[in-house]
Amino acid sequence: MQLIIRSKTTEAEDIVSLELAAPDGSALPAFTAGAHIDLSLGKGLVRSYSLVNDPAERHRYVVAVNRDPASRGGSRHVHEALRAGQALEVSAPRNHFPLVEDAPHVVLIAGGIGITPLLCMIRRLNALGRAWTLHYSARTRAKAAYLGVLRELAEPCGRLDFHVVDECGGRLPDLAALVGASPAGAHLYCCGPVPMLHAFEEAASLRPPGTVHVEYFSAQQDAALAGGFEVVLARSGRSLRIQPGASILDALLADGLDVGHACKEGVCGACQTRVLEGTPDHRDSYLSPREKSAGDAIMLCCSGCTSEKLVLDL
Ligand SMILES: Cc1cc2nc3c(=O)[nH]c(=O)nc-3n(C[C@H](O)[C@H](O)[C@H](O)COP(=O)(O)OP(=O)(O)OC[C@H]3O[C@@H](n4cnc5c(N)ncnc54)[C@H](O)[C@@H]3O)c2cc1C
Ligand code: FES
């Protein structure tokens, strides 16, 4: 979709939001809490951003973008080049971090920009009249986006526990204690930096399956780039040798195939492809452990293959 940037707003230090709408104001595809959209940010860069506005809204999408100091272009482009009034190519929303709407308790844990999908969940929980607790930590108070909004949203049925790392002598939130204090049967959601998510997953490893939910914004593992195997495209019968240093996605794109992709680091889900034969070497943060062990899907941008041949449904 080509959408128009209706406004660009500073939400905190190094965080800006973009409000996007159809040029003619028509309704946009619906989304559910926890969903993200992909923005095309020039020079072939596509980056995913979680929707922060109320899922009941159909007239706009709102995303908030943190400036990554090591950016190769995506967040830097949003901060430096994009202006209100410009057009932007945007994907339809996708959701790999859905909210379980009938959970008896909901505990949300956000670190920094990881607040974005959780803010959307909070709006939905308020609309449903369901109780929630948010543990929100930021490096500094100036970097905490949406604090005022969250305080207002907490009034009807929420509880906000805000932790500022540099005001606590650099102490990070105690995730084991937060998880341990969560009511039995609660669904737990966490989004933030990779080390925080790892600590959360470890702390929550004994909670009932299906009640622990995480969203990674960036890769956890290096891509499998050893190459040395053959990829067969079942629909066309074509076959390619994957060379060392290249991902399967790189090889397919170099061969002229138009394969959907966005993050290129195994987090957004855009390049998921069905495996018909062969053993994937999974390196993504997108498929669940169960999906990985089933072996019938692969993320082409970062995963490799431990068998001689991989047959794909392409
Ligand atoms: C589902 C989902 C939702 C997301 N939601 C949000 C959101 O709401 N808000 C938000 O701000 N972000 C969000 N992100 C992250 C966002 O998509 C981008 O990854 C982020 O903006 C960084 O992009 P970039 O192009 O600026 O940085 P990149 O250039 O992609 O760099 C990101 C990191 O990669 C590393 N890196 C840099 N150069 C290299 C290199 N040459 N080789 C290998 N690694 C390198 C650095 O550590 C850097 O910090 C989300 C991601 C996903 C998957
Ligand atoms: S392109 Fe995002 S998971 Fe592969």
Side-chain angles (χ1 to χ4, degrees):
M1 291 175 278
Q2 284 284 334
L3 301 185
I4 300 293
I5 303 173
R6 291 272 176 235
S7 60
K8 178 176 175 182
T9 308
T10 301
E11 302 292 353
E13 189 181 305
D14 288 332
I15 299 177
V16 292
S17 66
L18 300 177
E19 181 189 16
L20 307 164
D24 61 358
S26 56
L28 298 172
F31 66 97
T32 50
H36 67 271
I37 53 174
D38 297 333
L39 306 185
S40 296
L41 297 171
K43 297 188 186 146
L45 268 186
V46 179
R47 293 288 183 263
S48 304
Y49 295 100
S50 303
L51 292 162
V52 298
N53 56 311
D54 189 330
E57 292 180 348
R58 297 293 303 275
H59 66 292
R60 63 177 188 157
Y61 295 145
V62 183
V63 293
V65 179
N66 181 47
R67 183 198 288 264
D68 190 318
S71 176
R72 283 164 288 185
S75 59
R76 185 155 41 87
H77 183 80
V78 172
H79 277 256
E80 294 175 7
L82 296 184
R83 302 272 174 275
Q86 287 175 354
L88 194 60
E89 197 182 317
V90 174
S91 75
R94 282 181 295 137
N95 196 347
H96 194 62
F97 191 41
L99 178 68
V100 176
E101 298 196 339
D102 57 357
H105 305 278
V106 177
V107 177
L108 308 155
I109 302 178
I113 193 63
I115 189 61
T116 49
L118 305 184
L119 172 56
C120 187
M121 289 181 180
I122 285 170
R123 297 187 197 281
R124 177 67 183 152
L125 290 165
N126 273 13
L128 294 169
R130 301 194 79 93
W132 50 269
T133 299
L134 170 67
H135 303 283
Y136 180 21
S137 70
R139 287 267 158 207
T140 66
R141 202 166 280 269
K143 285 186 182 289
Y146 297 113
L147 202 48
V149 174
L150 289 164
R151 286 202 176 107
E152 277 171 31
L153 289 169
E155 264 166 38
C157 44
R159 194 172 78 77
L160 171 62
D161 162 34
F162 180 49
H163 179 97
V164 184
V165 174
D166 81 342
E167 292 174 13
C168 299
R171 186 175 49 80
L172 296 171
D174 183 347
L175 296 178
L178 296 183
V179 169
S182 303
H187 278 244
L188 275 56
Y189 299 80
C190 185
C191 187
V194 170
M196 177 183 194
L197 290 169
H198 283 164
F200 168 76
E201 286 184 302
E202 195 184 324
S205 60
L206 297 178
R207 308 275 311 185
T211 63
V212 176
H213 313 269
V214 294
E215 177 138 277
Y216 282 86
F217 280 180
S218 54
Q220 301 174 68
Q221 270 184 296
D222 291 337
L225 299 178
F229 58 93
E230 186 190 2
V231 166
V232 177
L233 311 180
R235 294 189 211 171
S236 63
R238 275 158 76 181
S239 104
L240 290 96
R241 188 95 198 139
I242 308 299
Q243 301 300 333
S247 66
I248 302 173
L249 179 69
D250 291 336
L252 296 178
L253 293 175
D255 206 49
L257 259 108
D258 184 15
V259 187
H261 62 279
C263 69
K264 287 190 168 176
E265 51 178 332
V267 282
C268 74
C271 66
Q272 181 173 342
T273 301
R274 224 151 65 86
V275 173
L276 303 175
E277 202 185 307
T279 313
D281 176 8
H282 296 290
R283 300 293 175 93
D284 63 277
S285 315
Y286 186 81
L287 297 172
S288 67
R290 192 178 304 165
E291 287 169 325
K292 284 180 181 166
S293 57
D296 54 4
I298 187 169
M299 312 314 295
L300 299 176
C301 63
C302 61
S303 297
C305 169
T306 55
S307 49
E308 271 295 299
K309 188 166 87 174
L310 194 66
V311 183
L312 300 175
D313 185 17
L314 283 176

